[in-house]
mmCIF file of all heavy atoms in Angstrom:
data_model
loop_
_atom_site.group_PDB
_atom_site.id
_atom_site.type_symbol
_atom_site.label_atom_id
_atom_site.label_comp_id
_atom_site.label_asym_id
_atom_site.label_seq_id
_atom_site.Cartn_x
_atom_site.Cartn_y
_atom_site.Cartn_z
ATOM 1 N N CYS A 317 -12.516 19.219 5.858
ATOM 2 C CA CYS A 317 -13.182 18.026 5.316
ATOM 3 C C CYS A 317 -13.734 17.202 6.460
ATOM 4 O O CYS A 317 -13.330 17.381 7.613
ATOM 5 C CB CYS A 317 -12.165 17.177 4.540
ATOM 6 S SG CYS A 317 -10.932 16.411 5.600
ATOM 7 N N GLU A 318 -14.635 16.307 6.120
ATOM 8 C CA GLU A 318 -15.128 15.354 7.131
ATOM 9 C C GLU A 318 -14.389 14.026 7.037
ATOM 10 O O GLU A 318 -14.247 13.308 8.017
ATOM 11 C CB GLU A 318 -16.622 15.119 6.912
ATOM 12 C CG GLU A 318 -17.498 16.219 7.451
ATOM 13 C CD GLU A 318 -18.949 15.815 7.320
ATOM 14 O OE1 GLU A 318 -19.465 15.845 6.186
ATOM 15 O OE2 GLU A 318 -19.551 15.456 8.347
ATOM 16 N N LEU A 319 -13.960 13.706 5.809
ATOM 17 C CA LEU A 319 -13.296 12.419 5.595
ATOM 18 C C LEU A 319 -11.966 12.656 4.886
ATOM 19 O O LEU A 319 -11.902 13.438 3.927
ATOM 20 C CB LEU A 319 -14.169 11.504 4.713
ATOM 21 C CG LEU A 319 -15.681 11.464 4.983
ATOM 22 C CD1 LEU A 319 -16.365 10.551 3.961
ATOM 23 C CD2 LEU A 319 -15.973 10.963 6.399
ATOM 24 N N ALA A 320 -10.907 11.974 5.335
ATOM 25 C CA ALA A 320 -9.583 12.177 4.720
ATOM 26 C C ALA A 320 -9.032 10.847 4.221
ATOM 27 O O ALA A 320 -9.129 9.825 4.920
ATOM 28 C CB ALA A 320 -8.624 12.799 5.734
ATOM 29 N N PHE A 321 -8.441 10.880 3.027
ATOM 30 C CA PHE A 321 -7.919 9.663 2.397
ATOM 31 C C PHE A 321 -6.467 9.897 1.955
ATOM 32 O O PHE A 321 -6.229 10.319 0.827
ATOM 33 C CB PHE A 321 -8.792 9.290 1.186
ATOM 34 C CG PHE A 321 -10.197 8.923 1.553
ATOM 35 C CD1 PHE A 321 -11.167 9.918 1.750
ATOM 36 C CD2 PHE A 321 -10.569 7.604 1.739
ATOM 37 C CE1 PHE A 321 -12.466 9.581 2.116
ATOM 38 C CE2 PHE A 321 -11.864 7.258 2.095
ATOM 39 C CZ PHE A 321 -12.825 8.254 2.288
ATOM 40 N N PRO A 322 -5.508 9.614 2.823
ATOM 41 C CA PRO A 322 -4.111 9.774 2.409
ATOM 42 C C PRO A 322 -3.737 8.641 1.436
ATOM 43 O O PRO A 322 -3.704 7.479 1.825
ATOM 44 C CB PRO A 322 -3.320 9.653 3.725
ATOM 45 C CG PRO A 322 -4.329 9.530 4.820
ATOM 46 C CD PRO A 322 -5.625 9.139 4.218
ATOM 47 N N CYS A 323 -3.480 9.009 0.191
ATOM 48 C CA CYS A 323 -3.241 8.010 -0.853
ATOM 49 C C CYS A 323 -1.941 8.272 -1.584
ATOM 50 O O CYS A 323 -1.801 7.915 -2.761
ATOM 51 C CB CYS A 323 -4.397 8.000 -1.853
ATOM 52 S SG CYS A 323 -5.964 7.519 -1.148
ATOM 53 N N ALA A 324 -0.973 8.929 -0.933
ATOM 54 C CA ALA A 324 0.274 9.241 -1.633
ATOM 55 C C ALA A 324 1.399 8.312 -1.182
ATOM 56 O O ALA A 324 1.727 7.342 -1.864
ATOM 57 C CB ALA A 324 0.649 10.703 -1.442
ATOM 58 N N THR A 325 1.961 8.563 0.006
ATOM 59 C CA THR A 325 3.126 7.754 0.397
ATOM 60 C C THR A 325 3.337 7.758 1.916
ATOM 61 O O THR A 325 2.582 8.411 2.639
ATOM 62 C CB THR A 325 4.381 8.278 -0.346
ATOM 63 O OG1 THR A 325 5.424 7.314 -0.231
ATOM 64 C CG2 THR A 325 4.858 9.611 0.209
ATOM 65 N N GLN A 326 4.379 7.072 2.372
ATOM 66 C CA GLN A 326 4.602 6.944 3.813
ATOM 67 C C GLN A 326 4.926 8.294 4.463
ATOM 68 O O GLN A 326 5.574 9.148 3.870
ATOM 69 C CB GLN A 326 5.710 5.935 4.137
ATOM 70 C CG GLN A 326 7.108 6.302 3.705
ATOM 71 C CD GLN A 326 7.464 5.715 2.357
ATOM 72 O OE1 GLN A 326 6.606 5.198 1.665
ATOM 73 N NE2 GLN A 326 8.721 5.793 1.955
ATOM 74 N N ASN A 327 4.424 8.445 5.687
ATOM 75 C CA ASN A 327 4.707 9.628 6.516
ATOM 76 C C ASN A 327 4.358 10.955 5.844
ATOM 77 O O ASN A 327 5.027 11.956 6.057
ATOM 78 C CB ASN A 327 6.179 9.626 6.961
ATOM 79 C CG ASN A 327 6.463 8.480 7.915
ATOM 80 O OD1 ASN A 327 5.591 8.063 8.676
ATOM 81 N ND2 ASN A 327 7.663 7.942 7.864
ATOM 82 N N GLU A 328 3.280 10.965 5.085
ATOM 83 C CA GLU A 328 2.861 12.205 4.410
ATOM 84 C C GLU A 328 1.943 13.037 5.302
ATOM 85 O O GLU A 328 1.573 14.154 4.946
ATOM 86 C CB GLU A 328 2.136 11.880 3.103
ATOM 87 C CG GLU A 328 0.936 10.958 3.300
ATOM 88 C CD GLU A 328 -0.002 10.923 2.108
ATOM 89 O OE1 GLU A 328 -0.442 11.987 1.674
ATOM 90 O OE2 GLU A 328 -0.311 9.815 1.630
ATOM 91 N N LEU A 329 1.527 12.484 6.436
ATOM 92 C CA LEU A 329 0.582 13.182 7.298
ATOM 93 C C LEU A 329 1.146 13.162 8.726
ATOM 94 O O LEU A 329 1.266 12.092 9.322
ATOM 95 C CB LEU A 329 -0.758 12.444 7.210
ATOM 96 C CG LEU A 329 -2.030 13.057 7.739
ATOM 97 C CD1 LEU A 329 -3.244 12.326 7.194
ATOM 98 C CD2 LEU A 329 -2.098 13.133 9.247
ATOM 99 N N ASN A 330 1.529 14.349 9.240
ATOM 100 C CA ASN A 330 2.187 14.355 10.546
ATOM 101 C C ASN A 330 1.242 14.835 11.661
ATOM 102 O O ASN A 330 0.055 15.079 11.436
ATOM 103 C CB ASN A 330 3.494 15.157 10.497
ATOM 104 C CG ASN A 330 3.233 16.641 10.234
ATOM 105 O OD1 ASN A 330 2.143 17.150 10.481
ATOM 106 N ND2 ASN A 330 4.246 17.324 9.747
ATOM 107 N N GLU A 331 1.818 14.972 12.843
ATOM 108 C CA GLU A 331 1.047 15.336 14.030
ATOM 109 C C GLU A 331 0.259 16.639 13.833
ATOM 110 O O GLU A 331 -0.912 16.730 14.192
ATOM 111 C CB GLU A 331 2.058 15.505 15.177
ATOM 112 C CG GLU A 331 1.452 15.689 16.514
ATOM 113 C CD GLU A 331 2.536 15.777 17.590
ATOM 114 O OE1 GLU A 331 3.727 15.927 17.258
ATOM 115 O OE2 GLU A 331 2.167 15.702 18.773
ATOM 116 N N HIS A 332 0.918 17.649 13.225
ATOM 117 C CA HIS A 332 0.237 18.938 13.029
ATOM 118 C C HIS A 332 -0.914 18.783 12.046
ATOM 119 O O HIS A 332 -1.980 19.384 12.224
ATOM 120 C CB HIS A 332 1.222 19.987 12.510
ATOM 121 C CG HIS A 332 2.394 20.162 13.418
ATOM 122 N ND1 HIS A 332 2.257 20.695 14.668
ATOM 123 C CD2 HIS A 332 3.698 19.833 13.264
ATOM 124 C CE1 HIS A 332 3.442 20.698 15.259
ATOM 125 N NE2 HIS A 332 4.338 20.166 14.440
ATOM 126 N N ASP A 333 -0.678 17.988 11.021
ATOM 127 C CA ASP A 333 -1.752 17.741 10.054
ATOM 128 C C ASP A 333 -2.933 17.063 10.748
ATOM 129 O O ASP A 333 -4.092 17.404 10.501
ATOM 130 C CB ASP A 333 -1.263 16.841 8.905
ATOM 131 C CG ASP A 333 -0.105 17.444 8.147
ATOM 132 O OD1 ASP A 333 -0.099 18.669 7.950
ATOM 133 O OD2 ASP A 333 0.815 16.693 7.746
ATOM 134 N N ALA A 334 -2.622 16.111 11.606
ATOM 135 C CA ALA A 334 -3.682 15.391 12.332
ATOM 136 C C ALA A 334 -4.461 16.378 13.201
ATOM 137 O O ALA A 334 -5.702 16.353 13.230
ATOM 138 C CB ALA A 334 -3.078 14.277 13.182
ATOM 139 N N GLU A 335 -3.746 17.266 13.877
ATOM 140 C CA GLU A 335 -4.410 18.267 14.725
ATOM 141 C C GLU A 335 -5.320 19.162 13.882
ATOM 142 O O GLU A 335 -6.445 19.471 14.278
ATOM 143 C CB GLU A 335 -3.367 19.139 15.435
ATOM 144 C CG GLU A 335 -2.803 18.463 16.671
ATOM 145 C CD GLU A 335 -1.539 19.147 17.198
ATOM 146 O OE1 GLU A 335 -1.093 20.148 16.598
ATOM 147 O OE2 GLU A 335 -1.012 18.659 18.208
ATOM 148 N N THR A 336 -4.799 19.577 12.711
ATOM 149 C CA THR A 336 -5.595 20.451 11.842
ATOM 150 C C THR A 336 -6.849 19.726 11.370
ATOM 151 O O THR A 336 -7.959 20.278 11.385
ATOM 152 C CB THR A 336 -4.758 20.891 10.618
ATOM 153 O OG1 THR A 336 -3.509 21.367 11.080
ATOM 154 C CG2 THR A 336 -5.454 21.961 9.810
ATOM 155 N N LEU A 337 -6.687 18.477 10.946
ATOM 156 C CA LEU A 337 -7.849 17.700 10.486
ATOM 157 C C LEU A 337 -8.901 17.608 11.594
ATOM 158 O O LEU A 337 -10.089 17.860 11.363
ATOM 159 C CB LEU A 337 -7.408 16.285 10.080
ATOM 160 C CG LEU A 337 -6.761 16.140 8.702
ATOM 161 C CD1 LEU A 337 -6.090 14.769 8.555
ATOM 162 C CD2 LEU A 337 -7.800 16.314 7.587
ATOM 163 N N LEU A 338 -8.444 17.294 12.802
ATOM 164 C CA LEU A 338 -9.383 17.138 13.915
ATOM 165 C C LEU A 338 -10.062 18.473 14.234
ATOM 166 O O LEU A 338 -11.275 18.522 14.443
ATOM 167 C CB LEU A 338 -8.651 16.592 15.153
ATOM 168 C CG LEU A 338 -8.124 15.155 15.007
ATOM 169 C CD1 LEU A 338 -7.211 14.781 16.181
ATOM 170 C CD2 LEU A 338 -9.276 14.153 14.904
ATOM 171 N N ALA A 339 -9.271 19.551 14.228
ATOM 172 C CA ALA A 339 -9.836 20.873 14.529
ATOM 173 C C ALA A 339 -10.879 21.272 13.479
ATOM 174 O O ALA A 339 -11.851 21.969 13.784
ATOM 175 C CB ALA A 339 -8.730 21.919 14.593
ATOM 176 N N ASN A 340 -10.707 20.784 12.257
ATOM 177 C CA ASN A 340 -11.652 21.110 11.178
ATOM 178 C C ASN A 340 -12.861 20.182 11.153
ATOM 179 O O ASN A 340 -13.682 20.250 10.239
ATOM 180 C CB ASN A 340 -10.952 21.034 9.814
ATOM 181 C CG ASN A 340 -10.075 22.253 9.571
ATOM 182 O OD1 ASN A 340 -10.289 23.305 10.171
ATOM 183 N ND2 ASN A 340 -9.086 22.111 8.707
ATOM 184 N N GLY A 341 -12.928 19.267 12.106
ATOM 185 C CA GLY A 341 -14.108 18.416 12.203
ATOM 186 C C GLY A 341 -14.039 17.121 11.411
ATOM 187 O O GLY A 341 -15.074 16.515 11.113
ATOM 188 N N CYS A 342 -12.826 16.675 11.085
ATOM 189 C CA CYS A 342 -12.684 15.417 10.351
ATOM 190 C C CYS A 342 -13.120 14.249 11.253
ATOM 191 O O CYS A 342 -12.700 14.168 12.411
ATOM 192 C CB CYS A 342 -11.236 15.266 9.913
ATOM 193 S SG CYS A 342 -10.890 13.704 9.113
ATOM 194 N N ILE A 343 -13.963 13.366 10.709
ATOM 195 C CA ILE A 343 -14.464 12.255 11.536
ATOM 196 C C ILE A 343 -13.918 10.900 11.102
ATOM 197 O O ILE A 343 -14.141 9.892 11.764
ATOM 198 C CB ILE A 343 -16.013 12.182 11.526
ATOM 199 C CG1 ILE A 343 -16.542 12.027 10.084
ATOM 200 C CG2 ILE A 343 -16.620 13.391 12.229
ATOM 201 C CD1 ILE A 343 -17.961 11.479 10.009
ATOM 202 N N LEU A 344 -13.203 10.865 9.957
ATOM 203 C CA LEU A 344 -12.722 9.577 9.461
ATOM 204 C C LEU A 344 -11.459 9.745 8.631
ATOM 205 O O LEU A 344 -11.337 10.673 7.842
ATOM 206 C CB LEU A 344 -13.825 8.933 8.594
ATOM 207 C CG LEU A 344 -13.490 7.655 7.808
ATOM 208 C CD1 LEU A 344 -14.723 6.760 7.710
ATOM 209 C CD2 LEU A 344 -12.915 7.906 6.424
ATOM 210 N N VAL A 345 -10.514 8.818 8.844
ATOM 211 C CA VAL A 345 -9.318 8.739 8.000
ATOM 212 C C VAL A 345 -9.205 7.297 7.518
ATOM 213 O O VAL A 345 -9.217 6.367 8.325
ATOM 214 C CB VAL A 345 -8.040 9.132 8.779
ATOM 215 C CG1 VAL A 345 -6.799 8.960 7.916
ATOM 216 C CG2 VAL A 345 -8.129 10.573 9.295
ATOM 217 N N SER A 346 -9.148 7.114 6.192
ATOM 218 C CA SER A 346 -8.986 5.766 5.641
ATOM 219 C C SER A 346 -7.755 5.800 4.736
ATOM 220 O O SER A 346 -7.703 6.558 3.772
ATOM 221 C CB SER A 346 -10.253 5.392 4.854
ATOM 222 O OG SER A 346 -10.197 4.041 4.429
ATOM 223 N N GLU A 347 -6.750 4.974 5.061
ATOM 224 C CA GLU A 347 -5.447 5.105 4.420
ATOM 225 C C GLU A 347 -5.309 4.246 3.163
ATOM 226 O O GLU A 347 -5.253 3.013 3.241
ATOM 227 C CB GLU A 347 -4.331 4.737 5.413
ATOM 228 C CG GLU A 347 -4.277 5.690 6.600
ATOM 229 C CD GLU A 347 -3.144 5.393 7.565
ATOM 230 O OE1 GLU A 347 -2.645 4.239 7.593
ATOM 231 O OE2 GLU A 347 -2.754 6.310 8.315
ATOM 232 N N GLY A 348 -5.216 4.914 2.021
ATOM 233 C CA GLY A 348 -4.985 4.201 0.759
ATOM 234 C C GLY A 348 -3.511 3.901 0.550
ATOM 235 O O GLY A 348 -3.144 2.961 -0.149
ATOM 236 N N ALA A 349 -2.644 4.722 1.151
ATOM 237 C CA ALA A 349 -1.201 4.510 1.036
ATOM 238 C C ALA A 349 -0.720 3.606 2.170
ATOM 239 O O ALA A 349 -1.467 3.299 3.098
ATOM 240 C CB ALA A 349 -0.469 5.839 1.094
ATOM 241 N N ASN A 350 0.532 3.175 2.094
ATOM 242 C CA ASN A 350 1.115 2.378 3.167
ATOM 243 C C ASN A 350 1.790 3.288 4.188
ATOM 244 O O ASN A 350 2.668 4.077 3.826
ATOM 245 C CB ASN A 350 2.146 1.405 2.582
ATOM 246 C CG ASN A 350 1.478 0.298 1.771
ATOM 247 O OD1 ASN A 350 0.517 -0.315 2.225
ATOM 248 N ND2 ASN A 350 1.954 0.059 0.560
ATOM 249 N N MET A 351 1.344 3.199 5.434
ATOM 250 C CA MET A 351 1.892 3.974 6.567
ATOM 251 C C MET A 351 1.973 5.470 6.277
ATOM 252 O O MET A 351 2.994 6.096 6.534
ATOM 253 C CB MET A 351 3.287 3.414 6.932
ATOM 254 C CG MET A 351 3.709 3.639 8.347
ATOM 255 S SD MET A 351 5.211 2.695 8.797
ATOM 256 C CE MET A 351 6.531 3.625 7.997
ATOM 257 N N PRO A 352 0.909 6.086 5.753
ATOM 258 C CA PRO A 352 0.982 7.520 5.436
ATOM 259 C C PRO A 352 0.988 8.427 6.671
ATOM 260 O O PRO A 352 1.460 9.563 6.572
ATOM 261 C CB PRO A 352 -0.278 7.769 4.604
ATOM 262 C CG PRO A 352 -1.221 6.701 5.007
ATOM 263 C CD PRO A 352 -0.392 5.511 5.339
ATOM 264 N N SER A 353 0.475 7.950 7.794
ATOM 265 C CA SER A 353 0.430 8.794 8.985
ATOM 266 C C SER A 353 1.615 8.466 9.898
ATOM 267 O O SER A 353 1.912 7.289 10.129
ATOM 268 C CB SER A 353 -0.866 8.573 9.771
ATOM 269 O OG SER A 353 -1.983 8.722 8.911
ATOM 270 N N THR A 354 2.265 9.510 10.419
ATOM 271 C CA THR A 354 3.370 9.278 11.358
ATOM 272 C C THR A 354 2.797 8.691 12.652
ATOM 273 O O THR A 354 1.596 8.845 12.921
ATOM 274 C CB THR A 354 4.115 10.590 11.679
ATOM 275 O OG1 THR A 354 3.185 11.467 12.334
ATOM 276 C CG2 THR A 354 4.664 11.259 10.420
ATOM 277 N N PRO A 355 3.644 8.072 13.490
ATOM 278 C CA PRO A 355 3.126 7.498 14.732
ATOM 279 C C PRO A 355 2.425 8.550 15.608
ATOM 280 O O PRO A 355 1.409 8.260 16.249
ATOM 281 C CB PRO A 355 4.391 6.991 15.447
ATOM 282 C CG PRO A 355 5.395 6.804 14.364
ATOM 283 C CD PRO A 355 5.074 7.787 13.291
ATOM 284 N N GLU A 356 2.945 9.785 15.598
ATOM 285 C CA GLU A 356 2.324 10.854 16.401
ATOM 286 C C GLU A 356 0.933 11.190 15.865
ATOM 287 O O GLU A 356 0.004 11.454 16.635
ATOM 288 C CB GLU A 356 3.197 12.122 16.401
ATOM 289 C CG GLU A 356 4.584 11.953 17.010
ATOM 290 C CD GLU A 356 5.580 11.225 16.110
ATOM 291 O OE1 GLU A 356 5.376 11.237 14.867
ATOM 292 O OE2 GLU A 356 6.539 10.629 16.625
#
Side-chain angles (χ1 to χ4, degrees):
C317 69
E318 281 186 286
L319 318 177
F321 296 83
C323 296
T325 194
Q326 66 265 11
N327 293 328
E328 57 164 306
L329 193 164
N330 66 22
E331 188 177 13
H332 303 293
D333 300 322
E335 278 166 0
T336 311
L337 281 167
L338 293 170
N340 283 337
C342 176
I343 58 160
L344 172 147
V345 176
S346 186
E347 296 183 338
N350 290 312
M351 206 170 76
S353 307
T354 63
E356 298 76 24

